[in-house]
Amino acid sequence: MDTTIALILLQDGILNGAIYALLGLALVLVFLVTRVIFIPQGEFVTFGALTLAFVVNGRMPGTVILLLIAGALVFFLELLSALRSRSMSGLPRKFLVNILIPVAVFFAAPYIVAANLPLWMDVLFSLAVVIPLGPMVYRLAYQPIAEASVLVLLITSVAVHFALTGLGLVFFGPEGWRTPPFMQGEVSLGAVSWSAQTFFVMGACVALILALWAFFGKTLYGRALRATAVNRRGARLVGISTNMSGSLTFTLAAAIGAFSGMLIAPVTTIYYDTGFLIGLKGFVAAIFGGLVSYPVALLGALFIGVLEAFSSFWASAYKEVIVFTMVIPVLLWRSFGSKHVDDEE
Amino acid sequence: MNCFPTVRLTTLATALALSVPLAVSAQVKVGVTIAATGPAASLGIPERNTVSLLPTEIGGQKIEYIVLDDTTDTTVAVRNMRKLITDDKVDVVIGTSVTPGSLAMVDVAGETKTPMISVAANAKIVEPVEGARTWVFKTPQNDQLMAGALADAMVKQNVKTLGFIGYNDAYGDGWLNVITEAAKAKGINVVASERYGRNDTSVTGQTLKLLGAKPDAVLIAGSGTPVALPQRELKGRGYAGIIYQTHGAANSDVLRVCGKDCNDMILPAGPLLVAEQLPDSNPVKKTAIEYKNKYEAKFGEGSINTFGGHMWDAGLLVAEAIPGALKTGAKPGTPEFRAALRDSIEQIKDLPASQGVFTMSDKDHAGLDTRARVIVKVVDGKWTYQPDL
């Protein structure tokens, strides 16, 4: 091992770590606001990456149809609850989000898939397909049991994860896909040349993290989410809808997941079930921060990425073992170091 | 693992089973369990597709196929097999796609005295032919057969040192063993061996380690599109030696994902992959092209891959064996017929199939020889037959 090798490994580790960081942040966010340990986070990575790969390759992604079906189901549920409460005021907006947008996406899809559009337009379209699935998943799977215990929510997450992985296989097939890189070329820094894509990924991560920081610090919705995170009942007492918070959180989580997928799809091959392992590493990162701290989750993610890169050099057969074994000392340290406060109902 | 497709397949299979009039109960029933979902789905899906092309009638005898999905899960594979035998009273079971499941099914075959034809590669499934394994046959080529072909090609290309990067599972383990053995016999040293996971997003560390060992050639032992990752990484880091792959890479999706980085890679494969390029004298050419045409007519141009070929060959073995088994006078659905079918498969001699020529015997239940392998090189994104390697 010389400096060049160490630098290349470091670069590789940071690239992967940046993706784990984004997923870790999304997991912390979802857990804080809704108490859901969001295992299906990884599925949004694959859905985002594969939807983009299909659009770029001129094929119709199956997620478009999933969006249509999920949207119809959500609207049906909303309609039922509106009839029950005899209040139709929210319905036009729900109709717009759950019926009109999916239908628009569905009819626009053949043209977008057939046309040879610039990459960023394909990215925008793919995001438009995948992101609405986030709040729909929340409405269908989590909102009806929003007040249940963390354990019940976790079990639901496992179920949602398996359902989405299965759908992923149906939509995208068993083989992997790649997308073209956002940026071509190499930048030479000292002895090692860094690919422009690495900088793009890191830049995008930093930008997303700053955007999240601004969202939580400066906007009303961000503050509402923070209030819900601190105390659900208190937030409801001051007029913050926990359903709205949950829905918004899942939208953000789906957006972060889908975007992360598109960031790594040019670097590596993405399969219908890739997301789980990436999500799991993001989860380990989130555990570093005790599922509450964004900065510690970020550091944890970078640490995991670098650890993974170096262990794949020294002991490739035990790479995953090394990464996941890290959870145990962290959990021990967290459980000894923190006072257990249970402020749930 | 993925429950929806399982349920759908099972329902479909049940619906199919019920829709057949009960009057023609004398038909031969073939049970199939394959990994249509889960990690080995890329093998199981073409296999499932192929079942729909298999002959439904042999010598006036109807053949019915019952297909179940085992989600690449060993337990489910065994459960499927028991269900097929006890509920559906099948005469022969084909499956499953992967070695662990097939090995577990061997015991059931012996216990229920039902012939079984595996479509997984490992030689352990049928060797040695004794006990429960007297009931078990398989159609894919052994890894040893393919490793031997690779070692021969390496000698011809003056390779003295070899680096290895393979899956960190049974597939990688198996290949590391057989290639080390085959290479040693030819005086080639394996100087580095690295592992990676099917779902890994990066193999930079392993690649650097391989480059550090400076081997003349590198063998990548994986299956399906994941083999493209080390291939691209090696090319991207400027590796100039020869890159070999195993027959697990013989899949058109690999070329799609890998692009021009896959040019010049060399792999052993079943003759089906390059059927059109074979000389007319090759006994495999005719059946391979027949299968290819049928498959592509139904599932689209270029959709063929060699995994489906193993299922086609298993179907051929069954079809070939049925007339012999009927001659004994045993009725389908009885233990006598199952035993007759087993004996009949064992008698098959010189049967040209899509992946080679089968000659079974009481010592050999794999039945393939060197005619079941060719060396293929990727030239301009196309599989190209290399008769000289």
PDB file of all heavy atoms in Angstrom, chain B residues 26-39:
ATOM      1  N   ALA B  26     -54.037 -40.099 -17.995  1.00  0.00           N
ATOM      2  CA  ALA B  26     -52.891 -40.957 -18.265  1.00  0.00           C
ATOM      3  C   ALA B  26     -51.677 -40.171 -18.759  1.00  0.00           C
ATOM      4  O   ALA B  26     -50.662 -40.753 -19.077  1.00  0.00           O
ATOM      5  CB  ALA B  26     -53.264 -42.013 -19.291  1.00  0.00           C
ATOM      6  N   GLN B  27     -51.796 -38.837 -18.823  1.00  0.00           N
ATOM      7  CA  GLN B  27     -50.677 -38.080 -19.369  1.00  0.00           C
ATOM      8  C   GLN B  27     -49.479 -38.071 -18.417  1.00  0.00           C
ATOM      9  O   GLN B  27     -49.627 -38.251 -17.214  1.00  0.00           O
ATOM     10  CB  GLN B  27     -51.105 -36.649 -19.636  1.00  0.00           C
ATOM     11  CG  GLN B  27     -51.518 -35.941 -18.365  1.00  0.00           C
ATOM     12  CD  GLN B  27     -52.383 -34.748 -18.654  1.00  0.00           C
ATOM     13  OE1 GLN B  27     -52.251 -34.150 -19.694  1.00  0.00           O
ATOM     14  NE2 GLN B  27     -53.263 -34.415 -17.746  1.00  0.00           N
ATOM     15  N   VAL B  28     -48.319 -37.822 -19.017  1.00  0.00           N
ATOM     16  CA  VAL B  28     -47.104 -37.710 -18.229  1.00  0.00           C
ATOM     17  C   VAL B  28     -47.059 -36.307 -17.617  1.00  0.00           C
ATOM     18  O   VAL B  28     -47.322 -35.324 -18.297  1.00  0.00           O
ATOM     19  CB  VAL B  28     -45.866 -37.922 -19.125  1.00  0.00           C
ATOM     20  CG1 VAL B  28     -44.599 -37.760 -18.308  1.00  0.00           C
ATOM     21  CG2 VAL B  28     -45.917 -39.282 -19.779  1.00  0.00           C
ATOM     22  N   LYS B  29     -46.773 -36.254 -16.330  1.00  0.00           N
ATOM     23  CA  LYS B  29     -46.692 -34.942 -15.680  1.00  0.00           C
ATOM     24  C   LYS B  29     -45.253 -34.616 -15.329  1.00  0.00           C
ATOM     25  O   LYS B  29     -44.556 -35.437 -14.726  1.00  0.00           O
ATOM     26  CB  LYS B  29     -47.528 -34.941 -14.410  1.00  0.00           C
ATOM     27  CG  LYS B  29     -49.010 -34.848 -14.668  1.00  0.00           C
ATOM     28  CD  LYS B  29     -49.717 -34.634 -13.361  1.00  0.00           C
ATOM     29  CE  LYS B  29     -51.220 -34.552 -13.560  1.00  0.00           C
ATOM     30  NZ  LYS B  29     -51.896 -34.409 -12.279  1.00  0.00           N
ATOM     31  N   VAL B  30     -44.825 -33.412 -15.713  1.00  0.00           N
ATOM     32  CA  VAL B  30     -43.470 -32.961 -15.420  1.00  0.00           C
ATOM     33  C   VAL B  30     -43.566 -31.793 -14.453  1.00  0.00           C
ATOM     34  O   VAL B  30     -44.186 -30.781 -14.769  1.00  0.00           O
ATOM     35  CB  VAL B  30     -42.747 -32.525 -16.709  1.00  0.00           C
ATOM     36  CG1 VAL B  30     -41.345 -32.021 -16.384  1.00  0.00           C
ATOM     37  CG2 VAL B  30     -42.686 -33.660 -17.701  1.00  0.00           C
ATOM     38  N   GLY B  31     -42.985 -31.939 -13.273  1.00  0.00           N
ATOM     39  CA  GLY B  31     -42.983 -30.844 -12.312  1.00  0.00           C
ATOM     40  C   GLY B  31     -41.719 -30.010 -12.502  1.00  0.00           C
ATOM     41  O   GLY B  31     -40.638 -30.547 -12.704  1.00  0.00           O
ATOM     42  N   VAL B  32     -41.880 -28.688 -12.466  1.00  0.00           N
ATOM     43  CA  VAL B  32     -40.718 -27.809 -12.619  1.00  0.00           C
ATOM     44  C   VAL B  32     -40.679 -26.848 -11.452  1.00  0.00           C
ATOM     45  O   VAL B  32     -41.678 -26.204 -11.143  1.00  0.00           O
ATOM     46  CB  VAL B  32     -40.796 -27.008 -13.942  1.00  0.00           C
ATOM     47  CG1 VAL B  32     -39.577 -26.119 -14.090  1.00  0.00           C
ATOM     48  CG2 VAL B  32     -40.929 -27.931 -15.135  1.00  0.00           C
ATOM     49  N   THR B  33     -39.540 -26.758 -10.771  1.00  0.00           N
ATOM     50  CA  THR B  33     -39.375 -25.688  -9.783  1.00  0.00           C
ATOM     51  C   THR B  33     -38.111 -24.936 -10.130  1.00  0.00           C
ATOM     52  O   THR B  33     -37.038 -25.513 -10.259  1.00  0.00           O
ATOM     53  CB  THR B  33     -39.356 -26.221  -8.332  1.00  0.00           C
ATOM     54  OG1 THR B  33     -38.951 -25.152  -7.465  1.00  0.00           O
ATOM     55  CG2 THR B  33     -38.404 -27.379  -8.148  1.00  0.00           C
ATOM     56  N   ILE B  34     -38.238 -23.619 -10.340  1.00  0.00           N
ATOM     57  CA  ILE B  34     -37.083 -22.808 -10.722  1.00  0.00           C
ATOM     58  C   ILE B  34     -37.109 -21.475  -9.976  1.00  0.00           C
ATOM     59  O   ILE B  34     -38.117 -21.093  -9.397  1.00  0.00           O
ATOM     60  CB  ILE B  34     -37.025 -22.526 -12.241  1.00  0.00           C
ATOM     61  CG1 ILE B  34     -38.421 -22.409 -12.811  1.00  0.00           C
ATOM     62  CG2 ILE B  34     -36.253 -23.569 -12.986  1.00  0.00           C
ATOM     63  CD1 ILE B  34     -38.849 -21.081 -13.101  1.00  0.00           C
ATOM     64  N   ALA B  35     -35.983 -20.781 -10.008  1.00  0.00           N
ATOM     65  CA  ALA B  35     -35.841 -19.527  -9.275  1.00  0.00           C
ATOM     66  C   ALA B  35     -36.297 -18.353 -10.134  1.00  0.00           C
ATOM     67  O   ALA B  35     -35.497 -17.580 -10.623  1.00  0.00           O
ATOM     68  CB  ALA B  35     -34.391 -19.343  -8.848  1.00  0.00           C
ATOM     69  N   ALA B  36     -37.609 -18.225 -10.329  1.00  0.00           N
ATOM     70  CA  ALA B  36     -38.102 -17.135 -11.180  1.00  0.00           C
ATOM     71  C   ALA B  36     -38.005 -15.783 -10.488  1.00  0.00           C
ATOM     72  O   ALA B  36     -38.104 -14.738 -11.127  1.00  0.00           O
ATOM     73  CB  ALA B  36     -39.539 -17.407 -11.599  1.00  0.00           C
ATOM     74  N   THR B  37     -37.826 -15.783  -9.157  1.00  0.00           N
ATOM     75  CA  THR B  37     -37.592 -14.531  -8.444  1.00  0.00           C
ATOM     76  C   THR B  37     -36.417 -14.745  -7.498  1.00  0.00           C
ATOM     77  O   THR B  37     -35.912 -15.854  -7.387  1.00  0.00           O
ATOM     78  CB  THR B  37     -38.822 -14.100  -7.626  1.00  0.00           C
ATOM     79  OG1 THR B  37     -39.172 -15.173  -6.763  1.00  0.00           O
ATOM     80  CG2 THR B  37     -39.995 -13.766  -8.516  1.00  0.00           C
ATOM     81  N   GLY B  38     -36.006 -13.689  -6.808  1.00  0.00           N
ATOM     82  CA  GLY B  38     -34.871 -13.807  -5.903  1.00  0.00           C
ATOM     83  C   GLY B  38     -33.553 -13.612  -6.642  1.00  0.00           C
ATOM     84  O   GLY B  38     -33.544 -13.293  -7.821  1.00  0.00           O
ATOM     85  N   PRO B  39     -32.436 -13.815  -5.936  1.00  0.00           N
ATOM     86  CA  PRO B  39     -31.121 -13.492  -6.511  1.00  0.00           C
ATOM     87  C   PRO B  39     -30.817 -14.202  -7.829  1.00  0.00           C
ATOM     88  O   PRO B  39     -30.075 -13.669  -8.644  1.00  0.00           O
ATOM     89  CB  PRO B  39     -30.144 -13.964  -5.430  1.00  0.00           C
ATOM     90  CG  PRO B  39     -30.923 -13.993  -4.177  1.00  0.00           C
ATOM     91  CD  PRO B  39     -32.343 -14.252  -4.545  1.00  0.00           C
TER      92      PRO B  39
END
